[in-house]
Amino acid sequence: MIPVTKPFLPPRKVHDSFLDTIWENNWLTNSGPLLNRLESDVQGRLETSNISFVTNGTIAIQIAIKALGITGEIITTPFSYVATTSAPAWEGCSLRFADIDPNSFNIDPDSIEAAITPKTQAILATHVFGNPIEVEKVADIAKHHDLKIIYDAAHCFGVDYDDVSIFEYGDVSTLSTHATKIFHTVEGGFIFSPDLEVRNSVNLMKNFGHDGPEVFSSIGINGKNSEFHAAMGLSNLQFMDVILAKRKAQYQLYETLLKGNNNLQFQAIHPKAKYNYSYFPVVFTSESVLLNVQSLLKENQIQPRRYFYPSLNKLDYVEYMPTPHAESIAERILCLPLFHNLEDKDINRICDLVLRAI
Ligand SMILES: Cc1ncc(COP(=O)(O)O)c(C=O)c1O
């Protein structure tokens, strides 16, 4: 079976040396030395300002919403993983959906502007599959309407925009380091903010609001992560250059084999991006073609994923607002397998089958 993704596992020796440190320190969680080192190493590698390691990329969005004081209406994208919608809904925020650009798959700034109401407090936009949104346009809209910006940058490890880390844009950006991501800590996530005060609030909020053992300076939750997750992160960090280079070569092989075909559409990556090649999505001419492809791949023990399907404005716990581009792309898009030890011969076979099925 070839799955859509497989987690990278570092050599046991590398990981075990971090486990030895945990045993020596007898420190398992609550801002331990490995967690602090991971925050500092990730910050150094990505050249970002303020960073906080949390339990996962979903709680990262929830804490970001709280830290920015957002309690009401948020404009968001219908084309993302379900957490982009469920996290703000869980926080009791009301959602308005703006349509996406059918080429970049990112929320379209013009449609954000059209969705704003007097009650809107924030924009929650995803850099879909690591492809940066037009951050300047979103910043202009936010400034004009006095809105906060949260970027769900779950897929963006290693992505730069205009030679600056993508995590430096907006009021807050969140990253997922779930096992399926290009850089992972088994479970985990990071919150980035250019504003030190926001990071300080995040650090209080992720630790129950504790400001000392007997003082609680704000509402809080348990969003802390552990020394074991930090150990996996520190191990994987040592291999990121190799992982990113391999991913680029695999992505380019997919492109070479499929791009000439006029019945396939690919994601348009922003020209100012330094991209991380984390996903290889393909859009077919119709859902029935997609289903043919999926079924032929399945017969051959290959398991792509319908990322992202369904369009999130169709979830039964949100108010439906039509977003024709997102609905159409969601019905026709498939992410093809992409992971570190996927071999060229497998990519060749997958592409042969895709072309045969269409
Ligand atoms: C776009 C997006 N946002 C948020 C999340 C949630 O991250 P996590 O699984 O770490 O909670 C994911 C995870 O797959 C994602 O793809």
Side-chain angles (χ1 to χ4, degrees):
M1 168 67 78
I2 300 180
V4 68
T5 188
K6 252 189 215 179
F8 175 83
L9 280 171
R12 281 293 295 272
K13 251 168 85 182
V14 174
H15 191 247
D16 285 351
S17 74
F18 288 108
L19 295 188
D20 289 342
T21 310
I22 296 178
W23 259 256
E24 278 155 27
N25 293 336
N26 203 343
W27 192 338
L28 306 188
T29 187
N30 286 12
S31 201
L34 292 185
L35 180 137
N36 288 323
R37 180 167 156 199
L38 180 68
E39 285 184 342
S40 143
D41 287 4
V42 169
Q43 182 170 351
R45 172 165 185 122
L46 300 179
E47 296 181 21
T48 63
S49 35
N50 305 300
I51 186 169
S52 185
F53 186 38
V54 295
T55 333
N56 56 60
T58 306
I59 207 90
I61 299 171
Q62 290 175 233
I63 295 176
I65 289 169
K66 278 277 193 296
L68 294 175
I70 301 159
T71 51
E73 186 176 281
I74 297 180
I75 293 178
T76 190
T77 176
F79 190 70
S80 185
Y81 185 60
V82 69
T84 317
T85 291
S86 63
W90 190 272
E91 288 304 316
C93 297
S94 57
L95 297 173
R96 286 180 64 75
F97 290 95
D99 207 356
I100 61 166
D101 172 316
N103 299 308
S104 70
F105 312 153
N106 286 327
I107 195 169
D108 174 1
D110 291 338
S111 96
I112 295 178
E113 186 116 49
I116 291 172
T117 75
K119 289 195 213 147
T120 307
Q121 294 181 340
I123 299 163
L124 168 55
T126 301
H127 302 296
V128 174
F129 305 131
N131 185 25
I133 195 172
E134 303 267 337
V135 287
E136 300 93 341
K137 282 194 187 164
V138 179
D140 284 349
I141 294 169
K143 194 166 172 207
H144 186 65
H145 296 274
D146 193 20
L147 306 177
K148 299 287 186 197
I149 304 171
I150 299 175
Y151 285 123
D152 181 345
H155 306 156
C156 290
F157 187 94
V159 172
D160 290 348
Y161 182 89
D162 218 3
D163 293 329
V164 174
S165 167
I166 193 68
F167 302 110
E168 290 295 285
Y169 297 92
D171 294 290
V172 172
S173 295
T174 60
L175 171 72
S176 165
T177 53
H178 181 256
T180 51
K181 301 297 184 287
I182 197 159
F183 166 69
H184 81 87
T185 59
V186 186
E187 290 276 0
F190 285 83
I191 300 177
F192 300 85
S193 176
D195 183 344
L196 183 60
E197 272 187 39
V198 172
R199 200 282 308 265
N200 292 342
S201 301
V202 163
N203 280 351
L204 287 169
M205 286 180 169
K206 77 172 183 186
N207 187 25
F208 307 99
H210 265 294
D211 195 6
E214 290 157 17
V215 181
F216 299 93
S217 67
S218 70
I219 188 169
I221 196 164
N222 186 356
K224 292 178 276 101
N225 215 323
S226 81
E227 291 293 277
F228 285 87
H229 294 83
M232 181 60 88
L234 285 166
S235 306
N236 286 341
L237 213 47
Q238 298 181 15
F239 298 91
M240 285 318 296
D241 288 338
V242 181
I243 293 171
L244 288 163
K246 178 86 181 279
R247 196 62 73 100
K248 181 174 179 181
Q250 293 166 320
Y251 182 104
Q252 287 177 335
L253 180 57
Y254 266 126
E255 276 193 323
T256 308
L257 296 170
L258 294 179
K259 259 213 159 150
N261 193 296
N262 291 333
N263 293 319
L264 298 173
Q265 185 201 328
F266 304 93
Q267 185 178 28
I269 303 300
H270 198 292
K272 287 189 187 171
K274 188 188 105 201
Y275 186 47
N276 66 5
Y277 304 93
S278 47
Y279 294 83
F280 196 82
V282 184
V283 181
F284 301 96
T285 47
S286 68
E287 188 174 24
S288 64
V289 173
L290 176 146
L291 294 173
N292 284 343
V293 172
Q294 197 180 23
S295 130
L296 186 62
L297 291 177
K298 194 171 167 205
E299 275 170 38
N300 286 275
Q301 278 74 52
I302 297 163
Q303 197 181 43
R305 271 294 290 270
R306 295 189 75 175
Y307 285 138
F308 298 108
Y309 177 83
S311 187
L312 299 172
N313 56 333
K314 294 187 172 177
L315 292 169
D316 57 14
Y317 55 86
V318 298
E319 189 187 333
Y320 176 75
M321 282 166 216
T323 55
H325 289 311
E327 289 169 36
S328 166
I329 296 285
E331 279 175 4
R332 297 184 287 123
I333 195 165
L334 211 49
C335 278
L336 299 181
L338 200 50
F339 50 89
H340 188 67
N341 49 9
L342 181 69
E343 294 180 23
D344 287 359
K345 71 172 175 29
D346 296 323
I347 297 179
N348 271 286
R349 195 157 69 87
I350 293 164
C351 292
D352 276 351
L353 290 165
V354 169
L355 294 173
R356 211 192 312 155
I358 66 169

